[in-house]
Amino acid sequence: MLTVDNLKDLKGKRVLVRVDFNVPLKEGKIRDDNRIVAALPTIKKLVNEGAKVILMSHLGKIKHKEAPEVVEAQKKKNDLSVVRGRLEELLGVTVSFCPELKGKDFHYFVDTLEDGTVLLCQNTRYEKGEEKNDSELAKEWASVADVFVMDAFGSAHRAHASTNGIPAILKEEGKPVACGYLVEKEINSLMRCVDVKDSDRPYVAILGGLKVSDKIKVIDSLLKKCDKILIGGAMAYTFAKALGKDVGTSPCELDQLDYALKCLKEANGRIVLPLDSVAANGFDDWTDKKVTSDQNIPEGYQGMDIGPKTIKLFKEEISKAKMVFWNGPMGVFEQKDFQAGTLAICEAIRELDGKAFTVCGGGDSAAAVKEFGFKDDFSHVSTGGGASLEMIENDGHLPGVDILK
Ligand code: ADP
Ligand code: MG
């Protein structure tokens, strides 16, 4: 696979870069510019080489099946021009905005672009063909590019026109397609968790979050690779129930009990379940909380976090690891009273002091790591929630990455 560093003679070339500017908005303003900052190295490199840089990204959701006025409202809410000013500030290079994604005006904007400057195009999802990977749309987009660079890791698990359609066409035409710096780092880090070297063992996975059913393929894949799988979060109560424990009103998926038992059997002792919980008599409206003495949850209570004995056990397991992959918070970390488990995992990673290769993948878990201030303690915190999980599930394959090969 080519990377941006392999691309030569870029002066005057039209380089179309798929970036991830799907930034969180609040009242029409950018709430967090992390994703823009993350795309800068690739854009800067191309600008410095004198390329004409064309940026495409999606922003939010636009449901084209809804009534026209609803679609219009969604478009207004997710207008990508909101990013232009901030990007220009961060880059220190002129960024113009193209409100059209096809037709005469679109081509005019591209044709008049000067070397070493940047054109940001409107939200790709304004076009209904984007999510369908429509070939006509992909053809029109590909027609304005001499080179394609994929730097939107968070969108690499989607086979859309901008992530998969464009590079497929350019490749056929013999034009270069490459990954950007961000995607390169994501692939290298996550591939290490997929193709496990002996020197990276013991390999410990930590799984949490809400649902077993969301993570079946991840669990299956990790079971084949890991030496230990520590399970916390709401997910642990499905496992507890399968083992005949009382789970009170904890979230529990009754249709996954057989699956949980199958995993435990296959794991043959490698799955480590919680020894205790912090439970509360409600979710948002609780008035009492208690630490349970074992895996059983009292009636009328629900498990909200792993307990102190579990924290000690999980920390011990993590301290022995040479490689860690973590997905899913250990408890309801959004509430202060139930942060301890998730925080303890972060601390255990810090205590490894760089002696192990540590990756966090998953939207909420990565958010927790950043919020608690542990981002720099990890070897890699993935920028793509869904994409990082699919990478693990599919043994390193993603439609937006495979097409670059
Ligand atoms: P990720 O995005 O990292 O893959 P998930 O989306 O699977 O993680 O799960 C995250 C959510 O799981 C969080 O909102 C957290 O509050 C919730 N969660 C974790 N433990 C529990 C629990 N014991 N009860 C209810 N919700 C939980
Ligand atoms: Mg999530």
Side-chain angles (χ1 to χ4, degrees):
M1 189 179 349
L2 295 179
T3 71
V4 267
D5 286 328
N6 301 125
L7 300 171
K8 298 281 174 261
D9 305 323
L10 290 173
K11 188 159 171 45
K13 293 261 172 67
R14 299 167 305 171
V15 183
L16 200 164
V17 190
R18 176 56 161 96
V19 285
D20 179 4
F21 287 165
N22 185 27
V23 289
L25 299 174
K26 197 173 177 185
E27 283 152 19
K29 295 227 161 61
I30 299 169
R31 189 163 53 77
D32 174 357
D33 65 4
N34 260 319
R35 289 193 161 147
I36 307 176
V37 173
L40 294 176
T42 297
I43 303 173
K44 277 187 179 154
K45 156 87 180 167
L46 296 169
V47 164
N48 290 341
E49 299 271 325
K52 300 175 202 281
V53 181
I54 304 158
L55 302 178
M56 283 192 178
S57 173
H58 79 276
L59 175 62
K61 288 198 171 80
I62 292 171
K63 295 186 181 131
H64 290 277
K65 284 198 184 111
E66 301 276 344
E69 63 275 13
V70 176
V71 174
E72 273 322 301
Q74 289 174 344
K75 282 187 174 175
K76 206 164 160 217
K77 186 173 152 220
N78 295 307
D79 188 325
L80 199 67
S81 65
V82 66
V83 168
R84 197 205 64 82
R86 185 77 190 110
L87 176 64
E88 189 169 77
E89 237 170 76
L90 289 165
L91 265 180
V93 171
T94 310
V95 178
S96 38
F97 183 76
C98 178
E100 301 297 329
L101 287 158
K102 42 187 202 189
K104 228 173 64 212
D105 286 350
F106 172 60
H107 289 274
Y108 176 79
F109 268 95
V110 176
D111 293 343
T112 52
L113 190 59
E114 282 174 34
D115 295 0
T117 65
V118 176
L119 178 66
L120 173 65
C121 299
Q122 185 53 280
N123 182 355
T124 51
R125 289 193 181 165
Y126 269 40
E127 293 298 327
K128 72 167 176 273
E130 158 74 331
E131 291 185 67
K132 293 185 186 144
N133 198 358
D134 178 76
S135 61
E136 284 306 309
L137 183 63
K139 220 188 272 172
E140 178 146 9
W141 287 348
S143 76
V144 302
D146 303 307
V147 180
F148 176 78
V149 173
M150 174 63 175
D151 214 18
F153 184 72
S155 304
H157 58 315
R158 307 233 157 90
H160 291 171
S162 67
T163 56
N164 184 276
I166 302 173
I169 293 168
L170 292 180
K171 246 168 68 172
E172 227 165 79
E173 292 172 352
K175 293 177 181 157
V177 300
C179 65
Y181 292 122
L182 183 64
V183 165
E184 187 183 8
K185 179 166 189 270
E186 291 276 5
I187 295 173
N188 289 343
S189 300
L190 291 163
M191 276 318 284
R192 191 159 161 187
C193 299
V194 169
D195 272 338
V196 187
K197 292 184 298 222
D198 282 343
S199 54
D200 281 336
R201 293 189 183 281
Y203 176 16
V204 175
I206 310 157
L207 284 177
L210 211 44
K211 288 188 183 161
V212 172
S213 55
D214 279 350
K215 309 265 167 96
I216 287 181
K217 280 165 75 190
V218 187
I219 302 173
D220 282 344
S221 169
L222 291 172
L223 268 174
K224 294 200 188 78
K225 302 177 198 302
C226 293
D227 301 296
K228 281 281 164 67
I229 303 181
L230 319 180
I231 296 185
M235 210 197 257
Y237 301 105
T238 297
F239 281 83
K241 179 84 182 170
L243 290 169
K245 311 281 175 188
D246 296 328
V247 296
T249 54
S250 307
C252 176
E253 290 172 282
L254 295 175
D255 55 344
Q256 298 300 332
L257 301 184
D258 288 340
Y259 174 72
L261 288 176
K262 191 197 92 168
C263 289
L264 290 167
K265 187 158 173 252
E266 189 181 330
N268 202 6
R270 287 176 298 142
I271 288 182
V272 183
L273 292 171
L275 302 173
D276 56 357
S277 290
V278 181
N281 63 345
F283 186 78
D284 284 320
D285 54 350
W286 58 272
T287 51
D288 185 43
K289 59 168 184 160
K290 53 175 97 183
V291 175
T292 64
S293 56
D294 57 24
Q295 267 179 295
N296 293 297
I297 305 285
E299 217 182 295
Y301 283 72
Q302 65 181 99
M304 299 285 274
D305 195 5
I306 52 175
K309 280 192 264 184
T310 311
I311 287 180
K312 188 161 174 280
L313 175 67
F314 283 10
K315 277 191 146 178
E316 247 165 56
E317 291 293 348
I318 295 168
S319 73
K320 292 183 244 167
K322 284 272 174 51
M323 183 156 78
V324 176
F325 175 78
W326 177 23
N327 165 262
M330 295 291 100
V332 185
F333 75 97
E334 296 91 341
Q335 296 187 41
K336 217 166 174 301
D337 293 82
F338 312 109
Q339 285 181 347
T342 305
L343 200 57
I345 302 296
C346 292
E347 283 162 7
I349 300 292
R350 179 171 287 173
E351 281 156 23
L352 285 169
D353 201 18
K355 288 192 209 49
F357 185 70
T358 53
V359 175
C360 173
D364 293 288
S365 0
V369 167
K370 285 182 214 151
E371 188 188 317
F372 296 156
F374 287 81
K375 187 168 178 272
D376 294 335
D377 295 290
F378 285 76
S379 311
H380 184 65
V381 178
S382 179
T383 56
S388 60
L389 285 188
E390 280 196 33
M391 187 105 181
I392 300 288
E393 288 171 13
N394 303 330
D395 257 352
H397 293 288
L398 294 178
V401 170
D402 288 352
I403 196 77
L404 307 174
K405 289 174 189 161

